[in-house]
């Protein structure tokens, strides 16, 4: 089975992990989002030293490519792409909404799951999956009114990091959520076995919405 490096800098907590033979070998978390660019390579180096490995020993790189923090997504993906380019290693991108659905569906069996993460006040990143993790509603950016429409009449398990007006079953995702490694490792190992890699040259973060900018008054 492959040796895989995992990078998730999509939120406030950065996750750097290493798996081999389908199991977790080592893990690092960093809880200061503003320091991710400064520490990511140090965390990777520390992780490899713990496992007595070098970058060339990796079989592939796995990145949580969003949605999430614009800056964090760029930090994580650019780091992974730099390593992959330099060492000719394959790259696999993972959507955070699907990772959450896979993680929590192992704990709460449901026929459908809706993942809704707060993007900004009144705005959400949303996707809907069935129990086999097939996408029923593609990951997208929605305003609260549109999310209400999506949830109406649903009997899905709602996975969200904010309190939404929903009467069905729900699980609250911690505001400082960090990727659960058991389900991610299983997913990534299965993808590697089937050769489902992403195009290194054209891979981009899953922003799902345009960057918010303000117009200069000058």
């Amino acid at each position: 089975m492959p040796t895989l490096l995992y990078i998730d800098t999509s939120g406030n907590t950065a996750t750097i992990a290493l798996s081999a033979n389908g199991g977790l070998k080592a893990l690092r978390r960093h809880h200061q989002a503003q320091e991710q660019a400064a520490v990511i390579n140090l965390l990777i180096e520390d992780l490899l030293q713990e496992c007595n490995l070098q970058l060339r020993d990796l079989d592939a790189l796995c990145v949580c490519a969003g949605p999430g923090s614009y800056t964090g997504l760029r930090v994580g993906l650019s780091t992974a792409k730099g390593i992959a380019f330099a060492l000719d290693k394959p790259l696999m991108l993972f959507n955070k909404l699907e990772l959450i659905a896979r993680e929590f569906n192992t704990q709460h069996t449901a026929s459908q799951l809706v993942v809704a993460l707060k993007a900004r006040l009144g705005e959400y990143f949303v996707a809907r999956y069935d129990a086999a993790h097939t996408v029923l509603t593609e990951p997208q950016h929605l305003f609260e009114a549109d999310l209400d429409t999506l949830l109406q009449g649903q009997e899905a398990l709602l996975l969200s990091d904010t309190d939404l007006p929903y009467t069905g079953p729900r699980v609250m995702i911690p505001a400082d959520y960090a990727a659960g490694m058991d389900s991610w490792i299983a997913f990534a190992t299965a993808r590697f076995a089937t050769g489902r890699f992403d195009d290194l040259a054209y891979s981009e973060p899953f922003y799902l919405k345009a960057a918010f900018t303000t117009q200069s008054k000058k």
Side-chain angles (χ1 to χ4, degrees):
M1 286 189 178
T3 298
L4 305 176
L5 179 68
Y6 302 79
I7 299 174
D8 178 11
T9 51
S10 62
N12 292 330
T13 299
T15 297
I16 309 295
L18 191 72
S19 76
N21 300 317
L24 180 66
K25 291 282 289 183
L27 173 70
R28 295 289 183 275
R29 306 273 199 199
H30 189 79
H31 300 284
Q32 300 296 326
Q34 68 273 18
E35 297 175 358
Q36 289 178 355
V39 304
I40 185 170
N41 287 305
L42 298 175
L43 293 173
I44 293 171
E45 181 181 3
D46 187 44
L47 202 70
L48 291 169
Q49 287 181 352
E50 178 184 333
C51 298
N52 196 28
L53 294 171
Q54 298 185 25
L55 286 172
R56 66 171 177 266
D57 297 319
L58 300 174
D59 291 305
L61 293 101
C62 308
V63 183
C64 178
S69 159
Y70 285 94
T71 300
L73 297 180
R74 289 194 296 270
V75 166
L77 186 53
S78 62
T79 300
K81 290 179 75 170
I83 296 171
F85 266 123
L87 299 176
D88 193 25
K89 302 292 184 179
L91 177 71
M92 293 187 286
L93 305 189
F94 295 84
N95 191 291
K96 187 173 186 176
L97 302 178
E98 183 174 3
L99 290 178
I100 290 173
R102 286 176 174 270
E103 177 182 354
F104 285 90
N105 196 33
T106 62
Q107 304 171 26
H108 304 272
T109 303
S111 60
Q112 290 189 23
L113 304 95
V114 174
V115 185
L117 301 182
K118 187 174 182 180
R120 197 179 291 124
L121 183 62
E123 300 177 33
Y124 300 89
F125 298 123
V126 182
R128 186 163 57 100
Y129 304 90
D130 67 13
H133 312 118
T134 302
V135 178
L136 301 177
T137 301
E138 291 288 344
Q140 58 192 279
H141 168 259
L142 291 179
F143 290 96
E144 189 163 356
D146 299 316
L147 177 59
D148 289 343
T149 301
L150 177 67
L151 289 173
Q152 282 180 3
Q154 294 291 341
E155 294 297 331
L157 174 66
L158 174 63
L159 308 172
S160 181
D161 58 357
T162 189
D163 189 18
L164 292 167
Y166 181 63
T167 58
R170 68 170 67 207
V171 173
M172 290 297 295
I173 306 299
D176 59 348
Y177 169 81
M181 293 311 305
D182 288 345
S183 56
W184 192 0
I185 289 170
F187 187 19
T189 302
R191 272 190 60 179
F192 183 90
T194 59
R196 290 177 52 206
F197 305 130
D198 289 281
D199 189 303
L200 187 56
Y202 296 101
S203 296
E204 295 290 341
F206 305 138
Y207 292 124
L208 297 189
K209 67 186 298 295
F212 177 78
T213 59
T214 56
Q215 191 74 24
S216 172
K217 296 182 179 179
K218 293 184 179 180

